Amino acid sequence: MQQFTEWTGYPHGSGPARSIELVTAELASNAVRHGSLAGRDFRLTLLLLPHGFRIEVTDTRPERLPPPVTAQPPEETSGRGLFLVEAYADGWGCTARDAYTKTVWAEMRFRTTGS
């Protein structure tokens, strides 16, 4: 995530960069898999906050809210994405502000590197 590296000074492959990449990938893949309608895309927004970083993914299925996070049985081959988001993020949630979109967000705290 070049933008994260530029904003924070953390190098590619560092722990914080890998955590941001994982959470971003999970939220984006959920938008593609569960939140898309034909002919519509999702929007990814990255925000540098005073205390960390916020990832927002907005899709076109406000009626499909994220399910509660529960551990999946070992034999299940999917359904662990939000479990990972919850494990890596300091906070996450979902906001549906209108009848056409919803935004799933995650915030992760870190210290700046001074770069």
Side-chain angles (χ1 to χ4, degrees):
M1 297 213 35
Q2 184 65 32
Q3 190 64 63
F4 177 78
T5 297
E6 287 179 16
W7 283 349
T8 66
Y10 282 102
H12 293 284
S14 66
R18 285 194 309 243
S19 296
I20 293 290
E21 289 172 357
L22 181 133
V23 170
T24 301
E26 287 299 333
L27 294 181
S29 67
N30 282 349
V32 170
R33 188 170 187 180
H34 304 293
S36 63
L37 290 170
R40 293 191 163 172
D41 293 326
F42 69 91
R43 179 179 65 231
L44 172 66
T45 304
L46 305 173
L47 301 164
L48 182 62
L49 305 173
H51 63 277
F53 204 71
R54 182 176 173 109
I55 304 153
E56 296 180 348
V57 177
T58 302
D59 67 44
T60 56
R61 298 295 299 268
E63 76 282 3
R64 297 187 89 184
L65 299 177
V69 176
T70 58
Q72 296 295 316
E75 63 274 4
E76 292 294 322
T77 58
S78 65
R80 292 179 180 82
L82 290 177
F83 189 75
L84 290 172
V85 170
E86 189 167 275
Y88 279 86
D90 292 297
W92 75 276
C94 180
T95 305
R97 293 191 179 112
D98 58 45
Y100 307 103
T101 62
K102 78 170 176 296
T103 299
V104 181
W105 57 270
E107 289 188 4
M108 301 171 76
R109 293 187 191 108
F110 60 86
R111 291 189 307 230
T112 59
T113 63
S115 300

Short mmCIF file of all heavy atoms in Angstrom, two decimals, residues 31-32 35-43 58-63 98-102:
data_model
loop_
_atom_site.label_atom_id
_atom_site.label_comp_id
_atom_site.label_asym_id
_atom_site.label_seq_id
_atom_site.Cartn_x
_atom_site.Cartn_y
_atom_site.Cartn_z
N ALA A 31 -16.83 -6.52 -0.29
CA ALA A 31 -17.66 -5.64 -1.12
C ALA A 31 -17.90 -6.26 -2.49
O ALA A 31 -19.02 -6.20 -3.01
CB ALA A 31 -16.98 -4.27 -1.28
N VAL A 32 -16.88 -6.87 -3.06
CA VAL A 32 -17.04 -7.52 -4.36
C VAL A 32 -17.96 -8.74 -4.25
O VAL A 32 -18.86 -8.92 -5.06
CB VAL A 32 -15.66 -7.94 -4.93
CG1 VAL A 32 -15.81 -8.83 -6.14
CG2 VAL A 32 -14.85 -6.70 -5.27
N GLY A 35 -21.45 -7.29 -1.76
CA GLY A 35 -22.04 -5.97 -1.82
C GLY A 35 -22.18 -5.36 -3.19
O GLY A 35 -22.47 -4.17 -3.31
N SER A 36 -22.00 -6.15 -4.23
CA SER A 36 -22.03 -5.55 -5.56
C SER A 36 -23.32 -5.86 -6.31
O SER A 36 -23.94 -6.89 -6.11
CB SER A 36 -20.82 -6.03 -6.38
OG SER A 36 -20.89 -7.43 -6.57
N LEU A 37 -23.68 -4.93 -7.14
CA LEU A 37 -24.78 -5.10 -8.09
C LEU A 37 -24.21 -4.95 -9.48
O LEU A 37 -23.20 -4.26 -9.68
CB LEU A 37 -25.85 -4.01 -7.87
CG LEU A 37 -26.66 -4.12 -6.59
CD1 LEU A 37 -27.50 -2.87 -6.39
CD2 LEU A 37 -27.55 -5.34 -6.63
N ALA A 38 -24.83 -5.57 -10.46
CA ALA A 38 -24.35 -5.49 -11.84
C ALA A 38 -24.22 -4.03 -12.27
O ALA A 38 -25.12 -3.22 -12.06
CB ALA A 38 -25.30 -6.23 -12.77
N GLY A 39 -23.07 -3.69 -12.82
CA GLY A 39 -22.84 -2.34 -13.32
C GLY A 39 -22.42 -1.34 -12.27
O GLY A 39 -22.25 -0.16 -12.58
N ARG A 40 -22.23 -1.78 -11.05
CA ARG A 40 -21.81 -0.86 -9.98
C ARG A 40 -20.56 -1.38 -9.31
O ARG A 40 -20.39 -2.57 -9.11
CB ARG A 40 -22.91 -0.70 -8.94
CG ARG A 40 -24.12 0.00 -9.48
CD ARG A 40 -25.01 0.34 -8.36
NE ARG A 40 -25.96 1.35 -8.77
CZ ARG A 40 -26.96 1.72 -8.00
NH1 ARG A 40 -27.11 1.18 -6.82
NH2 ARG A 40 -27.80 2.63 -8.41
N ASP A 41 -19.70 -0.46 -8.96
CA ASP A 41 -18.44 -0.80 -8.30
C ASP A 41 -18.52 -0.44 -6.81
O ASP A 41 -19.55 -0.02 -6.32
CB ASP A 41 -17.29 0.00 -8.93
CG ASP A 41 -17.02 -0.44 -10.36
OD1 ASP A 41 -17.17 -1.63 -10.66
OD2 ASP A 41 -16.64 0.43 -11.17
N PHE A 42 -17.41 -0.61 -6.13
CA PHE A 42 -17.31 -0.16 -4.76
C PHE A 42 -16.28 0.97 -4.70
O PHE A 42 -15.49 1.15 -5.62
CB PHE A 42 -16.95 -1.31 -3.81
CG PHE A 42 -15.55 -1.83 -3.98
CD1 PHE A 42 -14.50 -1.31 -3.24
CD2 PHE A 42 -15.29 -2.86 -4.86
CE1 PHE A 42 -13.22 -1.80 -3.39
CE2 PHE A 42 -14.01 -3.37 -5.02
CZ PHE A 42 -12.97 -2.83 -4.28
N ARG A 43 -16.31 1.72 -3.62
CA ARG A 43 -15.35 2.82 -3.44
C ARG A 43 -14.48 2.52 -2.22
O ARG A 43 -14.99 2.17 -1.15
CB ARG A 43 -16.09 4.14 -3.24
CG ARG A 43 -15.14 5.33 -3.03
CD ARG A 43 -15.88 6.65 -2.85
NE ARG A 43 -16.67 6.62 -1.62
CZ ARG A 43 -17.95 6.94 -1.57
NH1 ARG A 43 -18.61 7.33 -2.64
NH2 ARG A 43 -18.60 6.90 -0.42
N THR A 58 -17.16 1.39 0.49
CA THR A 58 -18.57 1.67 0.27
C THR A 58 -19.06 0.85 -0.90
O THR A 58 -18.45 0.85 -1.97
CB THR A 58 -18.77 3.18 -0.02
OG1 THR A 58 -18.26 3.92 1.10
CG2 THR A 58 -20.24 3.51 -0.22
N ASP A 59 -20.16 0.12 -0.70
CA ASP A 59 -20.73 -0.69 -1.77
C ASP A 59 -22.19 -0.33 -1.97
O ASP A 59 -22.72 0.56 -1.32
CB ASP A 59 -20.51 -2.19 -1.52
CG ASP A 59 -21.28 -2.71 -0.31
OD1 ASP A 59 -22.46 -2.37 -0.14
OD2 ASP A 59 -20.70 -3.49 0.46
N THR A 60 -22.84 -1.04 -2.88
CA THR A 60 -24.20 -0.69 -3.31
C THR A 60 -25.27 -1.63 -2.78
O THR A 60 -26.34 -1.74 -3.37
CB THR A 60 -24.26 -0.66 -4.85
OG1 THR A 60 -23.82 -1.93 -5.35
CG2 THR A 60 -23.37 0.43 -5.41
N ARG A 61 -25.00 -2.28 -1.66
CA ARG A 61 -25.99 -3.20 -1.08
C ARG A 61 -26.23 -2.86 0.39
O ARG A 61 -25.82 -3.60 1.29
CB ARG A 61 -25.51 -4.65 -1.21
CG ARG A 61 -25.32 -5.19 -2.62
CD ARG A 61 -26.59 -5.27 -3.43
NE ARG A 61 -27.60 -6.14 -2.88
CZ ARG A 61 -27.75 -7.43 -3.19
NH1 ARG A 61 -26.93 -8.01 -4.04
NH2 ARG A 61 -28.71 -8.13 -2.64
N PRO A 62 -26.92 -1.74 0.67
CA PRO A 62 -27.13 -1.37 2.08
C PRO A 62 -27.99 -2.36 2.85
O PRO A 62 -27.94 -2.39 4.08
CB PRO A 62 -27.81 0.00 1.98
CG PRO A 62 -28.46 0.02 0.64
CD PRO A 62 -27.55 -0.81 -0.25
N GLU A 63 -28.75 -3.17 2.14
CA GLU A 63 -29.60 -4.15 2.83
C GLU A 63 -28.80 -5.38 3.29
O GLU A 63 -29.30 -6.19 4.07
CB GLU A 63 -30.76 -4.58 1.92
CG GLU A 63 -30.40 -5.55 0.82
CD GLU A 63 -29.70 -4.94 -0.40
OE1 GLU A 63 -29.44 -3.73 -0.42
OE2 GLU A 63 -29.43 -5.70 -1.34
N ASP A 98 -27.80 6.01 3.40
CA ASP A 98 -28.88 6.26 2.45
C ASP A 98 -29.42 4.91 1.96
O ASP A 98 -28.97 3.86 2.40
CB ASP A 98 -28.40 7.14 1.28
CG ASP A 98 -27.23 6.54 0.53
OD1 ASP A 98 -27.24 5.32 0.22
OD2 ASP A 98 -26.29 7.29 0.21
N ALA A 99 -30.35 4.94 1.04
CA ALA A 99 -30.99 3.71 0.55
C ALA A 99 -30.18 3.02 -0.54
O ALA A 99 -30.59 1.98 -1.03
CB ALA A 99 -32.38 4.05 0.02
N TYR A 100 -29.02 3.57 -0.90
CA TYR A 100 -28.27 3.06 -2.05
C TYR A 100 -26.89 2.51 -1.72
O TYR A 100 -26.32 1.78 -2.52
CB TYR A 100 -28.12 4.16 -3.11
CG TYR A 100 -29.44 4.77 -3.48
CD1 TYR A 100 -29.80 6.01 -2.98
CD2 TYR A 100 -30.35 4.09 -4.28
CE1 TYR A 100 -31.04 6.57 -3.30
CE2 TYR A 100 -31.58 4.64 -4.59
CZ TYR A 100 -31.91 5.88 -4.10
OH TYR A 100 -33.13 6.41 -4.41
N THR A 101 -26.34 2.88 -0.58
CA THR A 101 -24.99 2.46 -0.25
C THR A 101 -24.84 2.14 1.23
O THR A 101 -25.64 2.56 2.06
CB THR A 101 -23.95 3.55 -0.59
OG1 THR A 101 -24.23 4.71 0.20
CG2 THR A 101 -23.95 3.89 -2.07
N LYS A 102 -23.79 1.41 1.54
CA LYS A 102 -23.35 1.23 2.91
C LYS A 102 -21.82 1.31 2.91
O LYS A 102 -21.18 1.05 1.90
CB LYS A 102 -23.81 -0.10 3.50
CG LYS A 102 -23.02 -1.30 3.06
CD LYS A 102 -23.39 -2.53 3.88
CE LYS A 102 -22.69 -3.77 3.41
NZ LYS A 102 -23.05 -4.20 2.06
#
